[in-house]
Amino acid sequence: MKDRMNHLLILSEEAPAYLDLLQAAKLTNLRITALSDTRLARTKGAECNMVLGEPGLVHGLLPYMTNLEWVQSTWAGVEPCIQKNSHRDYQLTNVKGIFGAQMSEYVFCYILMHEKLARVHHKLQQQKRWEQHFPGQLRGKTIGIMGVGSIGSHLAQTARYFQMQTKGYTFSSTNCEFIERYYHGEELVEFVSDLDYLVNTLPDTPQTTHLINDAVLRAMPPGAILINIGRGNVIEESALIDALNQQTIAGAVLDVFAEEPLPEDHRLWQTPNMTITAHISVISYPEDVVPVFIDNYHRFSNGQDLKYSVDFERGY
Amino acid sequence: MKDRMNHLLILSEEAPAYLDLLQAAKLTNLRITALSDTRLARTKGAECNMVLGEPGLVHGLLPYMTNLEWVQSTWAGVEPCIQKNSHRDYQLTNVKGIFGAQMSEYVFCYILMHEKLARVHHKLQQQKRWEQHFPGQLRGKTIGIMGVGSIGSHLAQTARYFQMQTKGYTFSSTNCEFIERYYHGEELVEFVSDLDYLVNTLPDTPQTTHLINDAVLRAMPPGAILINIGRGNVIEESALIDALNQQTIAGAVLDVFAEEPLPEDHRLWQTPNMTITAHISVISYPEDVVPVFIDNYHRFSNGQDLKYSVDFERGY
């Protein structure tokens, strides 16, 4: 494919930033069209053989992109592009390895707020009450991380920085130096049984649906906090609502949900000890994504395997 | 002093925990009396030549402790014992090097809450509103640390872990590997001029009073956050209230105050963008303090200089 002209469609709300960064990179044999929405994308898209874009925008264009060879997603989650009836006659790659730091900041924000009793102190301040409720500390607490890829590894590293104990639950991998003990398969109940914090980073696949169910929640200690930054399907939400109402666990922090946006009448909004954020735990910064694209562009041009290739069947 | 019998008074709300740890250490030539309050301390105290205790409790006993040679404070702050009219005919040591991790947890809890818009998301949840307000990240933000002792160094290390830029303001020291640039003396206004976060760790001494005044607050960027975990005298509180009301800076997090407990009618309680906690950012855990005492006990028994000796005139 060397020396052949390529035509890239950038399809992202941040198209101008992506265009600036890619033009500065002066990639050879590359023509670029940059669009912030799908209005002109059907006609322009037909000319392009590669896309750098948001899966939710790219998905609707797939039927019209007759010359498509490669889609580089700007996000980690590519669910819109891997639905059963979607076109699959192209290579799909996502971004990995760039979200660990941001996810760590989100997760440790809420872990620290819980340890430091931030909401207790906020209420006392509103009542102008000077009361010394002393905080807990992370040192010696135990975190369990479901899914130890680049995000889970970064969480484990941050946990070790704060002198926490770390446990990992994976399909089979055991290669993260920051995880002190690994669990797999049927060991999920044992894995959660002594945790202070359980963090899910697993993606949405048929194998992950409702992994965190009633039995797992009941196996967690009553003081434990559940945090989900992976995908909403992993938690059986009705079981979590019951667990929080019955104080089976102490709290939950969810950034992802089975249905997004979370419907206004969903019971989760007002479940006690529930913290909800609107799928904002990480942003794809163009300056982080572009190096992934450039590396893959060189691989594509040289006929090499692309990095972070998504298996349509497996779903990640 | 070798082989001479010593008699230690433990005077702390956590006296039973201290006694357990010290008995387990089996120190030679040591008799121990452990009291949780000062009720019996006057008569018992007269027999003791050393104290391990909270400065606020120890201070009232000093006139009655006619055999006193050494007080090991369980706290870093020893203000009650260094007032001008206090007894000073003994060696006073405090604890250092054991609070860095806890202080880091407190400071980064509030830094992360600010970056991650935790209060914005909390309000949206209360209104059942799904709105994606994307958070900032610590990477690339700049933190300025006033006072780079063991606590300031630990803060700088944590900041570097989160890929922040670090600046230090000290009397003269420049030896912390995690501080990228140092400032001293008259450079305070320059030091604060590009900060995202200004953290004070300085103690209460005549030299530190009102270091953070109107001119310094005006030199800070409008998006900056001030955090005080040192002592309250360092901030000119009336100037800070003005700065927050006029949005000269974006917010403040105070754990220490010129007057503690903060009076119920103090204007700080309701100043906009003000976060108040009741001097709870660190706890002296007996398991952290006891190794400091034991090290100093061996030094005392061998006639060596004690560690973390407090200069009554200098105040730290």
Side-chain angles (χ1 to χ4, degrees):
Chain A
M1 290 182 255
K2 221 161 180 151
D3 298 329
R4 203 191 58 177
M5 198 65 196
N6 293 299
H7 190 165
L8 170 69
L9 174 64
I10 296 172
L11 188 57
S12 161
E13 289 182 16
E14 308 229 41
Y18 280 110
L19 185 61
D20 284 353
L21 288 162
L22 281 176
Q23 284 178 335
K26 297 191 199 311
L27 298 174
T28 54
N29 300 322
L30 184 66
R31 199 180 137 201
I32 305 177
T33 299
L35 299 174
S36 298
D37 56 54
T38 54
R39 277 176 295 175
L40 292 170
R42 282 191 190 184
T43 46
K44 290 282 183 187
E47 302 162 15
C48 299
N49 68 321
M50 46 181 67
V51 177
L52 169 64
E54 294 157 20
L57 296 178
V58 173
H59 164 251
L61 281 188
L62 291 173
Y64 309 95
M65 300 201 66
T66 46
N67 292 307
L68 186 62
E69 295 177 84
W70 167 39
V71 171
Q72 172 65 58
S73 167
T74 59
W75 295 351
V78 292
E79 289 88 347
C81 292
I82 55 171
Q83 293 164 32
K84 277 231 160 71
N85 54 355
S86 287
H87 284 248
R88 293 182 171 187
D89 48 353
Y90 65 96
Q91 284 194 77
L92 175 61
T93 56
N94 69 357
V95 279
K96 283 204 177 74
I98 65 173
F99 299 119
Q102 287 185 69
M103 282 294 195
S104 266
E105 292 186 14
Y106 177 92
V107 167
F108 281 84
C109 175
Y110 286 99
I111 288 180
L112 284 166
M113 282 176 68
H114 179 69
E115 273 321 314
K116 300 299 155 186
L117 309 172
R119 295 216 171 120
V120 171
H121 294 299
H122 184 59
K123 277 194 183 154
L124 288 169
Q125 179 180 350
Q126 290 177 317
Q127 299 164 12
K128 302 186 185 180
R129 279 165 64 191
W130 180 275
E131 281 181 23
Q132 293 191 302
H133 296 265
F134 286 99
Q137 59 178 346
L138 296 193
R139 181 179 68 177
K141 297 285 194 310
T142 302
I143 188 171
I145 301 170
M146 294 176 73
V148 187
S150 69
I151 289 169
S153 295
H154 204 291
L155 290 175
Q157 183 180 8
T158 306
R160 293 299 298 147
Y161 177 81
F162 284 115
Q163 300 180 66
M164 297 178 81
Q165 310 296 313
T166 54
K167 298 166 70 175
Y169 179 82
T170 61
F171 183 68
S172 59
S173 74
T174 57
N175 57 356
C176 173
E177 63 182 304
F178 304 109
I179 293 287
E180 294 172 305
R181 190 164 171 203
Y182 275 97
Y183 297 76
H184 316 283
E186 299 298 312
E187 297 169 332
L188 184 54
V189 162
E190 183 192 346
F191 166 71
V192 304
S193 64
D194 65 348
L195 298 182
D196 297 291
Y197 297 94
L198 172 60
V199 183
N200 175 58
T201 77
L202 290 169
D204 181 353
T205 75
Q207 287 71 42
T208 64
T209 295
H210 290 190
L211 262 182
I212 300 177
N213 56 21
D214 186 63
V216 171
L217 291 164
R218 283 186 192 285
M220 291 171 69
I225 301 289
L226 168 63
I227 301 174
N228 192 6
I229 54 167
R231 280 296 180 264
N233 72 301
V234 178
I235 296 177
E236 190 178 351
E237 289 175 350
S238 60
L240 175 60
I241 290 169
D242 289 346
L244 288 169
N245 278 313
Q246 295 160 18
Q247 299 183 28
T248 309
I249 64 172
V253 180
L254 306 184
D255 188 49
V256 288
F257 303 87
E259 185 182 353
E260 295 180 17
L262 188 66
E264 203 189 321
D265 61 355
H266 201 292
R267 283 192 297 153
L268 276 173
W269 286 112
Q270 291 197 307
T271 300
N273 299 314
M274 166 69 66
T275 297
I276 288 173
T277 59
H279 203 143
I280 49 76
S281 56
V282 294
I283 305 172
S284 286
Y285 288 101
E287 60 266 35
D288 290 328
V289 174
V290 163
V292 175
F293 173 82
I294 290 174
D295 183 24
N296 265 343
Y297 182 77
H298 291 311
R299 290 167 178 269
F300 183 89
S301 300
N302 294 321
Q304 298 170 327
D305 288 343
L306 303 187
K307 267 192 175 174
Y308 313 130
S309 189
V310 174
D311 180 320
F312 287 100
E313 282 305 323
R314 209 176 50 168
Y316 63 95
Chain B
M1 291 181 254
K2 221 158 178 148
D3 297 330
R4 201 192 60 175
M5 199 64 196
N6 293 299
H7 190 164
L8 169 69
L9 174 65
I10 296 173
L11 187 58
S12 162
E13 291 183 14
E14 307 229 42
Y18 280 110
L19 185 61
D20 283 352
L21 287 163
L22 282 177
Q23 284 179 334
K26 298 190 197 313
L27 298 174
T28 53
N29 300 321
L30 182 66
R31 200 181 137 200
I32 306 175
T33 299
L35 299 173
S36 299
D37 58 52
T38 54
R39 277 176 295 176
L40 292 170
R42 283 192 188 183
T43 45
K44 291 284 184 186
E47 303 163 14
C48 299
N49 68 322
M50 46 181 68
V51 178
L52 169 64
E54 295 158 20
L57 296 178
V58 173
H59 164 251
L61 281 190
L62 291 173
Y64 309 95
M65 301 200 66
T66 45
N67 291 307
L68 185 62
E69 296 178 85
W70 166 40
V71 171
Q72 171 65 57
S73 167
T74 58
W75 295 352
V78 292
E79 288 88 346
C81 291
I82 56 171
Q83 293 164 33
K84 278 234 158 72
N85 53 355
S86 286
H87 285 248
R88 294 181 170 188
D89 49 353
Y90 66 96
Q91 284 193 79
L92 174 61
T93 56
N94 69 357
V95 279
K96 281 203 178 74
I98 65 172
F99 299 118
Q102 286 185 70
M103 283 293 195
S104 266
E105 291 187 15
Y106 176 92
V107 167
F108 282 84
C109 175
Y110 286 99
I111 288 180
L112 284 167
M113 281 176 70
H114 179 70
E115 272 322 313
K116 300 299 156 188
L117 309 173
R119 294 215 171 122
V120 172
H121 294 298
H122 184 59
K123 279 193 182 155
L124 287 169
Q125 179 180 351
Q126 291 178 318
Q127 300 163 11
K128 303 185 184 179
R129 280 165 62 191
W130 179 275
E131 281 181 23
Q132 292 191 304
H133 296 264
F134 286 99
Q137 58 178 347
L138 296 193
R139 181 179 67 178
K141 296 286 194 309
T142 302
I143 188 171
I145 301 169
M146 295 177 72
V148 187
S150 69
I151 288 168
S153 296
H154 204 290
L155 290 175
Q157 183 179 7
T158 307
R160 293 299 297 147
Y161 177 79
F162 283 115
Q163 300 181 65
M164 298 177 81
Q165 311 295 314
T166 54
K167 298 167 70 176
Y169 179 81
T170 60
F171 183 67
S172 59
S173 74
T174 57
N175 58 355
C176 173
E177 64 180 302
F178 303 109
I179 293 286
E180 295 172 305
R181 189 162 171 204
Y182 274 98
Y183 297 76
H184 317 284
E186 300 298 313
E187 297 169 332
L188 184 54
V189 162
E190 184 193 346
F191 166 71
V192 303
S193 64
D194 65 349
L195 298 182
D196 297 292
Y197 296 94
L198 172 60
V199 183
N200 175 58
T201 77
L202 290 169
D204 181 353
T205 75
Q207 288 72 41
T208 64
T209 295
H210 290 190
L211 262 183
I212 300 177
N213 56 21
D214 186 61
V216 171
L217 290 164
R218 283 185 192 286
M220 291 170 70
I225 301 289
L226 168 64
I227 301 174
N228 193 5
I229 53 167
R231 281 295 181 263
N233 72 302
V234 178
I235 295 177
E236 191 178 352
E237 289 176 350
S238 59
L240 175 60
I241 290 169
D242 289 346
L244 287 169
N245 279 313
Q246 295 159 18
Q247 299 182 28
T248 309
I249 63 172
V253 180
L254 306 185
D255 188 49
V256 289
F257 303 87
E259 185 182 352
E260 295 180 18
L262 189 66
E264 202 188 321
D265 61 357
H266 201 291
R267 284 192 297 153
L268 276 174
W269 285 112
Q270 290 198 307
T271 300
N273 300 315
M274 167 69 68
T275 296
I276 288 173
T277 59
H279 204 144
I280 50 76
S281 55
V282 294
I283 306 172
S284 286
Y285 287 100
E287 60 266 36
D288 290 328
V289 174
V290 162
V292 175
F293 174 82
I294 291 174
D295 183 25
N296 265 342
Y297 181 77
H298 292 310
R299 289 166 179 271
F300 183 90
S301 301
N302 293 322
Q304 297 169 328
D305 288 344
L306 303 188
K307 267 193 175 171
Y308 312 131
S309 188
V310 174
D311 179 321
F312 287 100
E313 282 305 323
R314 207 175 51 165
Y316 63 95

